[in-house]
């Protein structure tokens, strides 16, 4: 009877242990499955985020400033600051040399490329090219500082008409007017009516001066100038008008390009001014 009770007790203990082990294994498997699913979802989410970020970067693209549309260029702001010379002079009425530093704010959704050598200061009778070289890329909603973009700039460049430009004279970034007096100028002054009028008046003056400098206005005058310079009979010369001037020639011995301002470029590449060519001679032509 005692043996029978022991057998019953043994079987009971074995059953309880077996059930407990099965329950524990089931729980581990279930928990592992939850963890695996969670990890997979997390990885998938990160991949989607990375893909979205890559797609956004692709849409933004990279573009050279001069290739942007005028609307896109409105989202870039240029700030030019004039630094005094060694004497501390900031008065544009006192002769001195200035430095200019710049800060570029890219508020567009594109990465913009600049060639630092293409910046220039253009004022009547004076062009100052950048003292920097190399290319920079400015990401969207970022800014970039350029130190010593221009050095040894005449202070008179900031007293009247003129502009900071890029690549060509027509691509204005900001007007130079009062840059030294105010300490800095920004692209905002391109809409300043007073400064616009100052520059418009200067442009008209320059155009008027250019018109009055056109001493050659027709083909016969071009022939007479070459005839005088070469000491040959004018009726032996032929002339053809083209954009920007006249081609005066005779066989193989005379070949000249005459500009409205009277300068002549010969077939050997040499250019002479009207003042040189119109001097009195003893040839009689």
């Amino acid at each position: 009877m005692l043996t029978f009770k022991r057998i019953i007790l043994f079987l009971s203990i074995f059953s309880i242990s077996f059930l407990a082990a099965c329950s524990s294994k089931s729980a581990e498997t279930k928990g592992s499955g939850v963890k695996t699913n969670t990890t997979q979802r997390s990885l998938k989410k990160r991949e989607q985020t990375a893909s979205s970020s890559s797609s956004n970067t692709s849409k933004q693209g990279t573009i050279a400033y001069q290739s942007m549309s005028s609307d896109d260029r409105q989202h870039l702001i240029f700030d030019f600051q004039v630094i005094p010379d060694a004497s501390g002079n900031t008065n544009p009425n006192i002769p001195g040399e200035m430095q200019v530093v710049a800060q570029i704010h890219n508020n567009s959704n594109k990465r913009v490329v600049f060639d630092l050598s293409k910046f220039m200061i253009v004022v009547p009778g004076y062009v100052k090219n950048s003292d920097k070289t190399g290319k920079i890329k400015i990401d969207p909603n970022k800014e970039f500082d350029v130190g010593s973009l221009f050095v040894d700039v005449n202070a008179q460049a900031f007293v009247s008409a003129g502009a900071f430009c890029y690549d060509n004279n027509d691509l204005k970034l900001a007007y130079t007017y009062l840059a030294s007096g105010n300490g800095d100028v920004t692209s905002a002054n391109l809409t300043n009516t007073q400064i616009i009028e100052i520059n418009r008046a200067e442009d008209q003056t320059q155009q008027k001066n250019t018109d009055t400098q056109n001493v050659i206005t027709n083909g016969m005058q071009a022939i007479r100038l070459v005839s005088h310079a070469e000491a040959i009979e004018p009726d032996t010369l032929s002339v053809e008008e083209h954009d920007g001037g006249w081609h005066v020639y005779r066989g193989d011995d005379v070949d000249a390009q005459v500009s409205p301002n009277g300068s002549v470029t010969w077939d050997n590449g040499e250019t002479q001014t009207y003042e040189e060519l119109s001097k009195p001679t003893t040839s009689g032509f």
Side-chain angles (χ1 to χ4, degrees):
M1 187 68 177
L2 183 60
T3 301
F4 178 75
K5 288 182 177 179
R6 288 179 178 175
I7 291 172
I8 295 300
L9 179 61
F10 173 77
L11 290 173
S12 299
I13 293 172
F14 177 78
S15 298
I16 292 170
S17 299
F18 178 76
L19 291 172
C22 289
S23 176
S24 175
K25 185 175 181 180
S26 175
E28 289 177 0
T29 302
K30 186 176 181 181
S32 176
V34 171
K35 183 176 181 181
T36 300
N37 290 339
T38 301
T39 302
Q40 289 176 342
R41 286 198 297 270
S42 179
L43 286 172
K44 187 175 182 180
K45 185 175 182 180
R46 284 201 295 268
E47 289 172 355
Q48 290 173 341
T49 300
S51 176
S52 175
S53 176
S54 175
S55 176
N56 288 339
T57 301
S58 177
K59 288 179 180 178
Q60 290 166 357
T62 300
I63 187 170
Y65 178 73
Q66 67 271 28
S67 300
M68 299 179 77
S69 68
S70 57
D71 287 341
D72 282 341
R73 286 200 297 267
Q74 298 299 317
H75 297 291
L76 282 96
I77 305 298
F78 299 86
D79 188 329
F80 296 97
Q81 182 178 5
V82 176
I83 298 176
D85 61 11
S87 68
N89 167 43
T90 57
N91 186 344
N93 296 315
I94 300 176
E97 300 300 319
M98 305 291 188
Q99 260 191 75
V100 178
V101 299
Q103 187 174 74
I104 307 169
H105 305 262
N106 180 10
N107 299 323
S108 76
N109 63 351
K110 295 178 174 62
R111 178 182 295 159
V112 184
V113 181
F114 291 92
D115 183 338
L116 294 177
S117 68
K118 291 187 175 183
F119 285 89
M120 64 183 85
I121 296 174
V122 181
V123 299
Y126 176 71
V127 175
K128 170 64 177 175
N129 292 314
S130 167
D131 288 283
K132 288 286 189 178
T133 58
K135 294 184 178 181
I136 60 172
K137 296 179 181 179
I138 309 178
D139 288 331
N141 299 308
K142 299 292 183 181
E143 59 187 40
F144 193 94
D145 294 318
V146 185
S148 302
L149 182 60
F150 301 98
V151 298
D152 297 331
V153 184
N154 191 304
Q156 292 296 309
F158 309 112
V159 300
S160 187
F164 294 99
C165 301
Y166 183 81
D167 190 54
N168 61 73
N169 295 6
D170 295 325
L171 203 51
K172 294 179 176 62
L173 310 176
Y175 288 124
T176 58
Y177 182 61
L178 296 183
S180 59
N182 293 338
D184 71 309
V185 292
T186 72
S187 302
N189 75 5
L190 291 175
T191 60
N192 184 302
T193 54
Q194 178 190 4
I195 302 177
I196 290 173
E197 187 55 38
I198 290 172
N199 280 269
R200 181 183 292 119
E202 184 60 40
D203 288 343
Q204 291 173 346
T205 300
Q206 290 293 315
Q207 184 61 49
K208 184 178 180 180
N209 291 339
T210 299
D211 292 341
T212 58
Q213 290 172 0
N214 291 343
V215 294
I216 304 297
T217 60
N218 57 60
M220 183 53 66
Q221 290 178 342
I223 284 178
R224 287 173 180 166
L225 179 62
V226 174
S227 167
H228 175 81
E230 293 288 271
I232 57 179
E233 291 284 353
D235 57 7
T236 64
L237 296 172
S238 299
V239 63
E240 293 178 358
E241 186 173 0
H242 57 77
D243 289 342
W246 298 265
H247 179 206
V248 179
Y249 58 94
R250 184 183 72 176
D252 296 328
D253 62 338
V254 178
D255 193 325
Q257 300 291 336
V258 182
S259 298
N261 64 8
S263 65
V264 174
T265 301
W266 305 98
D267 57 350
N268 64 359
E270 179 188 4
T271 299
Q272 292 181 281
T273 65
Y274 179 76
E275 287 72 18
E276 293 177 285
L277 298 171
S278 60
K279 289 179 179 179
T281 67
T282 58
S283 65
F285 299 110

